[in-house]
Amino acid sequence: MGKNGYLPLFETKPAGGLVFFRSYAASIFIGICFICFHRVSYFPVTERWVWVGMFVAELWFSFYFFITVIVKWNPVFRSTFKDRLSSRFEEEELPGVDIFVCTADPRLEPPTMVVSTVLSVMAYDYPPHKLSVYLSDDGCSDLTFYALLEASGFAQLWLPFCRKLKVEPTSPEAYFQTTPEPVDDVFMANEWLIIKILIDGRDPNAIDIEGKALPTLVYLAREKRPQIHHNFKAGALNALIRVSSKVSNAPFILNVDCDMFSNNSKAIRDALCFFLDEGNGHEIAYVQYPQAFDNLTENEIYGSLRVLMKLELAGFDGNGGPCYVGTGCVHRRESLSGMKYSEELAVELKAMKYDKKIIGSASFNEEDCKALASCTYEENTPWGKEKGVKYESLVEDVLTGMSIQSKGWRSVFFNPQREAFLGMGPTTLLDTLVQHKRWGEGELQILLSKHCPFVYGRPNMPLKLQLSYCIYNLWAPNCFATLYYVFVPSFCLFRGISLFPKISSSWGIPYLYVIFVHRVHSLVEYVWLGGTVRGWLNEQRMWMFKRTTSYLFAAIDHMLKLFGFSKSAFAITGKVADDDVHRRYEQEIMEFGTWSPMFTVLATLALFNLLGLIAVVTNNVAIGDARMKIFDVFGFQILLCYVLVFINLPIYQGMFFRKDSVSVWSTEPETRTADLRSDSKFQSVKLQACNTRFVFKEKRSKLVSCICNFPYLFIITYKLLKLLFENLD
């Protein structure tokens, strides 16, 4: 019951199991303290800098763990009461909602997928005359335009079909892929055959076959010129904000990516339960739904955003409000247009009525709308800086959400039982790594700019929310500590340098405890959120791949931009794949697709750890006390090497056993490879370890051609290995 006796439209509950989580976090903290004490107390006389590096890396991991604990310390989950919303507001009293869909490239984002998303949001369980759907086509594609034109006619059939049969999801493409054609139900079978007929209907009265109103549908291809930066997706959204203010001017705006179709026709009513709540609704700037994917394999071979979307955003909500993730978000127009929250504005919002009718047609002010979408309109205006979606980051969504929160607004995370939106996740390893490179670079860009949450967020963002943003802002810097841990312990294993306490020592207990308990908690958390054990293993693999490649290149690229050597670029993740790629994805076989320097880094690290493991195995041919003594001294490094080799199994498979991935490792001109093959030094590379010789012959050609794509890294690694094995002799 509310303060004034009214029934609230939503409720908030803390997550369960917090006592368990906080006890776990406290025990890990104690273990970390023991590890730090050991590092300081047992400082070696020789090889001190290697020891210091390990200590610094562990301090970084500890600090990042502290940030994740803050995020997960007090997650909250919310539920809505749509029945109370319906009883409190008549249909004509409900506010209008503008829906923005953005697309940029018809080759990567097929028009059939785009219009299917548009049709899905047109079919919301909401008064259709209160909905306005806007499609921004930055590719200015005739194909997309005419596909949308056909969809506008098809909507006259599709919307009544969805209402009659309570269709979920309301995307035609998704619905017909998952629903078998009815046989026993005569009524539904007849309706289905209606649905197969495409009629090019251009009804001037904008009504469907039942005589009910259709949502407004607007196509926008904004003006672009080579000499004027169009600011990618952020610029498209700002153009939509301006154009929609002239056409429909709804008080609430939903934006979705072109591949994120509606999977829950009640999603708008759920969001309005927050905005229209008499108690706290006036404080809320946006309602963020989690991002989910329709095309994930059972074990999520390329990982997923499961923990981020289902738990970390709930933690953000408990700390002050979730970040804006760029899609599946319902905004209040005032907050998105740059207005600051104040008590005066709160009074106006509380008194606002939403039963006003729009006078005139959507086309009467078409010329004004063209001016608003011109490429020169934003010159010398606050758009992209103080108003609308922000331009100064590759992750414009996160920066925009932070800007809104810094102006005093609150945000809400809502995860309904039925997922509100489903999209398309990456289907190749390279797509995944490139996507995270952009995210990591954008987050680092925010951290090292005037928009750093500790500066930008004061005084309206609580400190715990500012710290929460660091879990993503520090993605790119994570690469350095991770690379150190992946490379140096194996390197020191070759040299006979121990970096951890003995297995038999009592100082090994805190290391074992922290490693084991931390990973077990991660597994339990992942499975609790709906994942599988194999899915968790794939998540750990991708965690390492992203830290050693995506975030490394993100950090390097941002440093280059700071010194003026390169400019920001926005990479669109492909939403289509050829048949072979799709088949391997469904079979959960890792796809190496196109050559990338990221693959060369992965291959080099994988080979280095494999050679380290081989050296250890051959060295342990000895029996009895000698073997046990070696394991006692180097046990932690050996276990780490085993884990890294296990994680890299798909890399070894792609390099040495799979014919379909040869092109990944060898895409340079044959002349370069031939030159290397004729080089006697490379032909006679012999790796000697404990009287065992390994000569790479035919399969070595794949390795050589792979690594020569990143020659400096290979030469350094090759010389280090040669030096090491010479010393072992």
Side-chain angles (χ1 to χ4, degrees), residues 683 685-687 693-697 700:
Q683 284 290 355
V685 171
K686 297 180 181 180
L687 303 181
R693 290 175 46 172
F694 299 93
V695 182
F696 293 107
K697 295 184 179 178
R700 183 187 147 279

Side-chain angles (χ1 to χ4, degrees), residues 288-326:
Q288 179 65 63
Y289 287 95
Q291 200 170 356
F293 303 100
D294 185 47
N295 66 330
L296 292 180
T297 59
E298 181 183 358
N299 299 305
E300 300 170 350
I301 182 173
Y302 299 119
S304 68
L305 302 177
R306 185 178 298 277
V307 174
L308 188 156
M309 289 294 169
K310 292 189 175 182
L311 183 58
E312 291 177 1
L313 286 185
F316 267 72
D317 201 357
N319 289 342
C323 57
Y324 168 40
V325 301

Side-chain angles (χ1 to χ4, degrees), residues 236-458:
L237 286 172
N238 283 338
L240 287 175
I241 293 171
R242 296 192 297 270
V243 169
S244 65
S245 68
K246 290 293 184 181
V247 177
S248 52
N249 199 31
F252 301 106
I253 296 171
L254 163 65
N255 88 279
V256 294
D257 287 343
C258 65
D259 65 313
M260 298 293 292
F261 63 84
S262 170
N263 188 57
N264 186 338
S265 62
K266 307 286 186 182
I268 288 181
R269 293 182 181 269
D270 280 322
L272 292 181
C273 286
F274 296 101
F275 289 116
L276 302 184
D277 182 76
E278 288 89 341
N280 301 308
H282 57 280
E283 304 172 351
I284 297 173
Y286 60 85
V287 177
Q288 179 65 63
Y289 287 95
Q291 200 170 356
F293 303 100
D294 185 47
N295 66 330
L296 292 180
T297 59
E298 181 183 358
N299 299 305
E300 300 170 350
I301 182 173
Y302 299 119
S304 68
L305 302 177
R306 185 178 298 277
V307 174
L308 188 156
M309 289 294 169
K310 292 189 175 182
L311 183 58
E312 291 177 1
L313 286 185
F316 267 72
D317 201 357
N319 289 342
C323 57
Y324 168 40
V325 301
T327 184
C329 188
V330 184
H331 293 268
R332 189 185 294 276
R333 185 178 286 271
E334 291 87 353
S335 63
L336 198 56
S337 298
M339 294 183 67
K340 293 183 179 180
Y341 179 79
S342 64
E343 293 300 323
E344 295 77 12
L345 180 60
V347 173
E348 292 180 18
L349 294 177
K350 286 182 179 180
M352 186 176 293
K353 300 295 182 183
Y354 299 107
D355 56 355
K356 297 179 181 178
K357 293 185 178 179
I358 300 174
I359 301 174
S361 65
S363 60
F364 79 99
N365 51 7
E366 187 174 311
E367 291 304 318
D368 292 340
C369 292
K370 288 182 179 179
L372 294 173
S374 68
C375 61
T376 57
Y377 180 84
E378 294 181 351
E379 291 182 359
N380 302 317
T381 70
W383 283 99
K385 300 173 184 176
E386 298 299 324
K387 295 181 67 174
V389 182
K390 300 299 177 286
Y391 290 159
E392 300 174 5
S393 174
L394 285 173
V395 284
E396 72 290 330
D397 43 13
V398 175
L399 181 57
T400 300
M402 191 188 305
S403 172
I404 290 172
Q405 291 169 334
S406 70
K407 293 176 181 176
W409 294 95
R410 288 184 55 201
S411 58
V412 165
F413 170 70
F414 181 57
N415 185 15
Q417 288 187 345
R418 182 180 179 89
E419 287 149 326
F421 304 95
L422 290 176
M424 299 286 289
T427 56
T428 68
L429 177 60
L430 184 58
D431 279 348
T432 305
L433 297 180
V434 169
Q435 185 180 64
H436 278 268
K437 174 189 172 295
R438 179 172 67 84
W439 291 349
E441 185 179 350
E443 294 287 354
L444 180 62
Q445 192 178 30
I446 290 176
L447 182 68
L448 300 181
S449 70
K450 63 181 180 181
H451 300 119
C452 174
F454 301 107
V455 177
Y456 200 48
R458 294 185 301 170

Side-chain angles (χ1 to χ4, degrees), residues 637-656:
Q637 282 161 266
I638 293 172
L639 289 174
L640 178 60
C641 202
Y642 267 104
V643 170
L644 292 173
V645 168
F646 174 77
I647 285 176
N648 285 307
L649 285 178
I651 302 295
Y652 307 133
Q653 183 187 25
M655 293 176 64
F656 300 122

